Amino acid sequence: MRRAGVLVVVGLVLAFAAAPAPASAAGSNHAPGPPSSLTVDEDAMPLWVTDDPLFGWQVNDADRGEVQSAYEIVVYDGAPADASHLLADTGRVSTDRQTFVDVAGLAAKLAPDHSYWWTVRTWDRAGAVGPYAPLARFDTALRDADWHADWIRRAGAENAQYEDYSLVRTQVRISASPVVRARVYASAGHHYDLRVNGVRRAHGPSYAYPDEQYYETT
């Protein structure tokens, strides 16, 4: 008589826990690359910076698990960026922060309606420093005391029963020198079109509240 056999299979499950990789192997640390995605007040090359500019950037490092240990921000008042145009230099600041970064004392040095250039470099946790990022630009806005304008509205429009729109044109003659910078600060009763030589360059609305009026920079 043959007896039925019972085959018992015991499975062995092995679990492996991988330890986090170090930032880099000994002797193989690489300096970080130049930072990218430079922003001021969360915008790339904004035209309307007011008060204290807040800087941001993205760290670029080829080593795994790296973190920023320090940064240096340099701001220039003019181009090319050289020592004669240096406006502010933070020096080496030890922190891993790379967003909403303030440069102490910079706001008091900024003029309204002006262009500035800046750059940043970073250090990794091993103390290696990388190159500066390519220069980025930001423009300052007008302050309340800098705004000198009167509302423009054609005669009789204030008595219109329906929404009224006016077409206003002015001519500006450019001198023989090349135009290197042009800004338009426009405020309107909400909706507006800004055209230059017949081509639309900006479009409202420009918001308003009972106690303050906003404008837009183009």
Side-chain angles (χ1 to χ4, degrees):
M1 177 181 294
R2 299 180 60 187
R3 300 180 60 185
V6 178
L7 179 62
V8 179
V9 179
V10 178
L12 180 62
V13 178
L14 300 179
F16 296 91
S24 59
S28 63
N29 183 71
H30 302 89
S36 60
S37 302
L38 274 60
T39 62
V40 178
D41 293 346
E42 297 188 280
D43 205 342
M45 295 192 296
L47 301 177
W48 45 80
V49 173
T50 58
D51 302 323
D52 290 326
L54 297 177
F55 298 90
W57 58 89
Q58 178 179 312
V59 173
N60 294 306
D61 199 307
D63 297 328
R64 294 182 59 187
E66 266 293 4
V67 294
Q68 171 189 297
S69 66
Y71 71 81
E72 179 182 18
I73 295 176
V74 185
V75 182
Y76 297 95
D77 180 10
D82 54 33
S84 65
H85 294 138
L86 180 64
L87 186 66
D89 187 341
T90 64
R92 187 180 187 276
V93 179
S94 297
T95 179
D96 62 355
R97 187 170 186 176
Q98 60 194 71
T99 57
F100 298 100
V101 177
D102 180 37
V103 175
L106 177 61
K109 300 178 182 179
L110 300 179
D113 187 26
H114 197 78
S115 295
Y116 295 92
W117 286 261
W118 73 285
T119 184
V120 60
R121 63 176 176 173
T122 63
W123 283 256
D124 65 13
R125 64 169 140 193
V129 62
Y132 286 104
L135 285 172
R137 194 194 71 229
F138 69 91
D139 283 27
T140 51
L142 294 177
R143 304 186 181 102
D144 288 347
D146 304 314
W147 186 268
H148 303 286
D150 294 316
W151 289 112
I152 301 173
R153 197 173 191 183
R154 59 184 173 81
E158 63 274 7
N159 298 321
Q161 298 181 355
Y162 306 100
E163 292 187 8
D164 178 75
Y165 295 89
S166 299
L167 178 62
V168 181
R169 182 176 66 184
T170 185
Q171 292 185 352
V172 178
R173 295 193 177 277
I174 307 300
S175 64
S177 61
V179 177
V180 296
R181 182 181 186 275
R183 301 289 181 269
V184 173
Y185 300 97
S187 184
H190 294 293
H191 296 283
Y192 76 94
D193 267 341
L194 172 65
R195 297 175 183 266
V196 180
N197 292 338
V199 179
R200 189 167 80 170
R201 298 299 185 184
H203 177 69
S206 175
Y207 296 102
Y209 295 95
D211 57 346
E212 58 187 8
Q213 174 74 33
Y214 286 83
Y215 66 88
E216 296 185 341
T217 307
T218 302

